[in-house]
């Protein structure tokens, strides 16, 4: 059922020249109870976000330095951060978010799961005032930059990343990139919609309309992280953009746990992992699973 739609989306994105105009998110920090709850729920084991999380989790796990400090920008309810901290008990994690309700959700979840190696801080990622210069070994971020109001804010966030990273520090960021048509946005949203709440679906639509372009990411990365990270995007159309520092090849030490999580996903979410892996591989980024 998905293939013909996917094919139509590929053709549409290939034939249109310009990205859609950007519509910023209605609010920067996600604070409304509905949106917070829906987002936290979308991250459950078989939720709409679970396939994308698993793909990026595998990539991030290959980069976590034993004993190192990892900063997650815009950690939200800690859906991905919690998994990363559990799989890497030897490292220390800091989840930074502007939304107090998101941080409270994350704190609750971490307490319930006994995660003791992740601290949570209320931080604006364009300031990172509570994070010391050159204190971070790995900066990660997932699906968060598109919440920033404009390219200046994106630029300030990347400048802060450059400030807080240790000299040998690395990054793994993923976010949506701007598509070329509202039809393509509808296709991607429809893939995730089954069984999900209207609040999560709304949030997804807003996210894809608020995404920065690949060129926006290239400009700010060139300014602040040149030589430290490379940009990858899904082939054909930058539905997903990844900024990653070079890493040693080879599977993560937690590969068996990741494979087990993959096997437990429902078919639609397995398809998300496979499609992300395929289209990012075609865009130059090898899969970590
Ligand atoms: C779509 S959620 C992503 C959450 C999480 N990274 C994930 O992948 O599940 C985006 C998060 O970015 C946060 N955010 C937005 N603007 C921010 C800023 N300037 N500084 C820190 N966090 C911000 C929002 O509050 C929200 O929790």
């Amino acid at each position: 059922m998905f293939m013909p739609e996917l094919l139509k989306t590929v053709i549409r994105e290939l034939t249109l020249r310009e990205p859609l105009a950007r519509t910023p998110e209605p609010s920067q920090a996600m604070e409304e109870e509905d949106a917070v709850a829906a987002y936290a729920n979308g991250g459950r084991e078989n939720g709409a976000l679970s396939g994308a999380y698993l793909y990026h989790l595998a990539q991030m796990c290959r980069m976590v330095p034993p004993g190192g400090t990892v900063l997650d920008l815009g950690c939200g309810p800690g859906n991905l951060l919690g998994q990363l901290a559990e799989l890497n008990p030897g490292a220390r994690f800091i989840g930074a978010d502007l939304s107090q309700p998101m941080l409270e959700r994350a704190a609750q979840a971490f307490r319930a799961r006994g995660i003791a190696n992740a601290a949570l801080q209320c931080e604006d990622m364009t300031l990172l005032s509570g994070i010391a210069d050159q204190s971070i070994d790995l900066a990660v971020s997932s699906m968060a930059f598109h919440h920033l109001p404009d390219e200046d804010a994106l630029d300030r966030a990347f400048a802060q990343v450059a400030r807080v990273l240790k000299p040998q520090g690395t990054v793994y960021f993923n976010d949506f990139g701007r598509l070329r048509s509202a039809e393509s946005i509808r296709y991607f949203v429809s893939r995730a919609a089954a069984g999900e709440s209207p609040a999560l679906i709304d949030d997804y639509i807003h996210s894809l309309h608020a995404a920065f372009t690949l060129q926006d990411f290239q400009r700010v990365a060139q300014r602040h992280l040149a030589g430290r990270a490379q940009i990858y995007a899904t082939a054909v159309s930058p539905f997903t953009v990844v900024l990653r520092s070079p890493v040693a090849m080879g599977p993560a030490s937690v590969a068996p746990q990741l494979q087990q999580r993959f096997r437990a996903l429902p078919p639609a979410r397995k398809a998300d992992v496979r499609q992300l892996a395929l289209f990012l591989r075609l865009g130059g980024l090898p899969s970590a699973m």
Side-chain angles (χ1 to χ4, degrees):
M1 180 194 159
F2 286 130
M3 260 332 268
E5 282 307 314
L6 174 61
L7 205 60
K8 279 191 226 160
T9 303
V10 164
I11 293 166
R12 193 186 311 114
E13 289 289 309
L14 274 176
T15 46
L16 292 169
R17 300 182 78 81
E18 295 295 324
L20 280 166
R22 180 170 194 248
T23 310
E25 288 275 1
S27 59
Q28 192 179 162
M30 291 175 74
E31 290 181 322
E32 281 172 27
E33 193 42 46
D34 267 12
V36 172
Y39 202 84
N41 189 42
R44 69 193 185 280
E45 279 157 29
N46 57 356
L49 302 167
S50 55
Y53 282 147
L54 185 60
Y55 176 87
H56 297 296
L57 178 68
Q59 295 279 11
M60 289 174 187
C61 279
R62 277 173 43 181
M63 301 182 70
V64 176
T69 303
V70 180
L71 172 67
D72 183 1
L73 303 166
C75 66
N79 294 343
L80 182 52
L81 176 63
Q83 297 192 56
L84 195 59
E86 276 173 334
L87 287 173
N88 295 278
R92 176 178 160 259
F93 295 83
I94 305 169
D97 204 285
L98 196 51
S99 157
Q100 205 62 55
M102 280 290 193
L103 292 170
E104 280 159 21
R105 281 268 164 175
Q108 266 169 26
F110 292 180
R111 264 195 308 276
R113 282 152 62 185
I115 298 171
N117 57 336
L120 296 160
Q121 281 181 216
C122 192
E123 294 280 348
D124 182 339
M125 69 169 97
T126 67
L127 299 171
L128 293 183
S129 32
I131 310 288
D133 293 1
Q134 301 196 357
S135 59
I136 301 298
D137 294 284
L138 168 65
V140 300
S141 184
S142 168
M143 299 185 258
F145 292 122
H146 65 270
H147 272 267
L148 296 172
D150 51 36
E151 197 189 327
D152 277 355
L154 186 66
D155 189 84
R156 291 197 298 279
F158 274 53
Q160 288 306 315
V161 170
R163 176 182 69 77
V164 302
L165 278 181
K166 291 182 182 174
Q168 303 307 318
T170 58
V171 302
Y172 183 93
F173 299 152
N174 71 271
D175 200 0
F176 305 112
R178 189 108 44 83
L179 297 169
R180 298 193 182 97
S181 118
E183 275 282 278
S184 305
I185 290 182
R186 276 194 284 279
Y187 160 72
F188 282 110
V189 172
S190 73
R191 283 181 55 117
E196 296 299 333
S197 70
L200 187 71
I201 294 166
D202 265 8
D203 178 60
Y204 197 13
I205 296 170
H206 288 308
S207 299
L208 293 179
H209 281 281
F212 288 103
T213 63
L214 181 57
Q215 291 70 27
D216 294 334
F217 281 112
Q218 279 164 339
R219 270 193 301 274
V220 294
Q222 178 59 32
R223 223 171 280 144
H224 300 292
L225 296 170
R228 300 185 86 159
Q230 193 177 333
I231 294 210
Y232 304 89
T234 40
V236 180
S237 183
F239 167 67
T240 294
V241 176
V242 171
L243 190 82
R244 192 200 67 168
S245 302
V247 282
M249 299 308 285
S253 59
V254 291
Q257 289 98 308
L258 296 169
Q259 287 301 335
Q260 193 181 0
R261 287 175 195 206
F262 178 76
R263 284 192 296 274
L265 291 177
R269 305 289 74 95
K270 282 192 175 112
D272 290 345
V273 179
R274 291 195 181 105
Q275 278 187 19
L276 261 182
L278 172 65
F279 282 86
L280 278 170
R281 190 177 307 119
L282 291 173
L285 181 66
S287 166
M289 287 191 65

